[in-house]
Amino acid sequence: MVKRPVKYSQVDAFTDTAFKGNPAAVCLLEKEEEQDEKWMQAVAAEFNISETCFLTPISSTQSDANDHSVTRFHLRWFTPLVEVKLCGHGTLASAHFLFAYRIARTDVIEFVTLSGVLIAKRIPTASNVDASKFSDGDPEEHFSIELDFPTIPVLECESADIPSLPETLNGAPMVNISKTAEAGGGDLYVELSSGKTVADLKPQLDEIRKCPARGLIVTGPAPDGSGFDFFSRFFSPKMGINEDPVCGSVHCALVTYWSKKLGKCDLVAYMASPRGGVLELHLDETNQRVLIRGKAVTVMEGSLLA
């Protein structure tokens, strides 16, 4: 049990508007030995939002291969039910917390995670904002964050292999079905006929629980003139999240799918959940990496006392 107060902040990720995007609670621990899994899972259940993140500093600032100063933290992510291996919005929220409160005094953070080392870079978005005017107690919000994540390969999948899909999707017209080859079943990726169909979809959550996958991603081409390339939504009731409002990690697979389909490596994605969120994506085909850029906003702060 943690006996000293633990600072936390709740951050809405992939949005610049409070109460939109995807909420994540970010908890800052002082020592690695405080990372008790049962306690962290209990805290995540208490917050009961799509992700709760736990940060532990590794060392003081050091230099990367390009001689840039970086700060390193251990990072773990928990849904209300389970620990996950990769989380985009939780990483964005954690980086935002560290940058906004100037806990990280560099523009680059390395997170050591279950998926290896993930990099977050601070990208200023308002050059006329003087950060020195903010006191140490107030978060500074005027920047974007770029995440460097691995791509996730997708495999073709036949609808006959998942006979319950038409019922799961309430008869929505399917264009293509893919899946990720990951431990625990991976995710199903279903392209629907249009982004509007994605936004309007009301799937059968009980049927999703029966699917041979961690979760179900539905996606479709964005409407003309929307400013986006594709829409998506992510449903994962097995993990205690009926719908993840904005999921960064599923775009590690979506970017390879839509890049090939649209013939370009720079895309803008919209997650069409009721909260909504925007992700700017760049596919590095040579290194099989995806750069995910987004904004975030702090909506709550406090201390855990138990």
Side-chain angles (χ1 to χ4, degrees):
M1 177 181 294
V2 175
K3 297 181 180 181
R4 65 175 64 86
V6 172
K7 180 179 176 62
Y8 81 86
S9 182
Q10 187 163 314
V11 177
D12 289 342
F14 295 115
T15 181
D16 59 2
T17 304
F19 315 123
K20 297 292 184 179
N22 201 353
V26 183
C27 304
L28 180 63
L29 306 180
E30 292 185 6
K31 299 179 181 179
E32 189 171 356
E33 56 265 27
E34 289 180 342
Q35 294 197 26
D36 177 84
E37 287 188 13
K38 290 184 179 180
W39 178 82
M40 287 189 283
Q41 190 63 74
V43 171
E46 184 77 6
F47 276 114
N48 197 33
I49 54 180
S50 51
E51 217 74 46
T52 299
C53 315
F54 296 91
L55 290 165
T56 309
I58 295 175
S59 63
S60 58
T61 58
Q62 52 186 286
S63 297
D64 63 10
N66 297 315
D67 203 30
H68 296 141
S69 294
V70 301
T71 307
R72 306 191 77 197
F73 285 82
H74 284 293
L75 173 59
R76 298 175 73 174
W77 313 279
F78 289 77
T79 76
L81 294 183
V82 297
E83 183 174 10
V84 299
K85 291 184 65 176
L86 185 65
C87 178
H89 94 274
T91 306
L92 186 82
S94 297
H96 183 87
F97 169 80
L98 294 171
F99 287 136
Y101 287 95
R102 289 165 293 284
I103 298 168
R105 297 281 180 167
T106 64
D107 287 333
V108 180
I109 301 171
E110 290 184 351
F111 294 112
V112 178
T113 77
L114 292 177
S115 290
V117 176
L118 305 175
I119 298 172
K121 294 181 180 180
R122 181 182 183 275
I123 311 294
T125 56
S127 58
N128 60 331
V129 175
D130 183 359
S132 65
K133 294 181 179 179
F134 294 84
S135 71
D136 282 344
D138 297 325
E140 190 264 305
E141 309 276 2
H142 300 277
F143 56 90
S144 296
I145 294 169
E146 183 178 87
L147 306 177
D148 185 339
F149 271 36
T151 59
I152 296 175
V154 295
L155 308 172
E156 291 299 316
C157 182
E158 298 295 331
S159 58
D161 296 336
I162 313 167
S164 64
L165 264 183
E167 180 180 355
T168 301
L169 300 176
N170 284 319
M174 295 181 289
V175 175
N176 191 40
I177 305 171
S178 306
K179 62 181 179 181
T180 55
E182 298 175 89
D187 294 315
L188 289 175
Y189 287 73
V190 181
E191 182 186 350
L192 303 181
S193 57
S194 70
K196 184 178 186 305
T197 303
V198 170
D200 293 343
L201 183 70
K202 295 181 179 179
Q204 299 292 331
L205 295 176
D206 287 341
E207 293 298 319
I208 295 177
R209 289 186 181 93
K210 299 174 186 176
C211 285
R214 179 188 69 158
L216 172 67
I217 296 96
V218 293
T219 187
D224 291 340
S226 66
F228 301 105
D229 292 295
F230 62 91
F231 283 10
S232 298
R233 292 172 71 188
F234 179 41
F235 303 92
S236 189
K238 290 181 182 178
M239 300 176 67
I241 310 166
N242 286 344
E243 180 171 5
D244 198 343
V246 189
C247 183
S249 62
V250 301
H251 289 80
C252 295
L254 284 168
V255 70
T256 60
Y257 180 86
W258 284 104
S259 176
K260 182 178 180 180
K261 187 155 188 168
L262 299 178
K264 58 182 181 177
C265 292
D266 292 293
L267 305 108
V268 183
Y270 180 69
M271 288 212 79
S273 70
R275 290 177 65 104
V278 179
L279 306 90
E280 299 176 33
L281 309 169
H282 172 74
L283 175 63
D284 180 349
E285 292 184 286
T286 301
N287 297 304
Q288 286 302 293
R289 305 290 294 184
V290 56
L291 301 181
I292 305 172
R293 184 176 291 193
K295 297 180 180 179
V297 59
T298 306
V299 297
M300 191 183 305
E301 59 182 25
S303 296
L304 295 169
L305 304 177

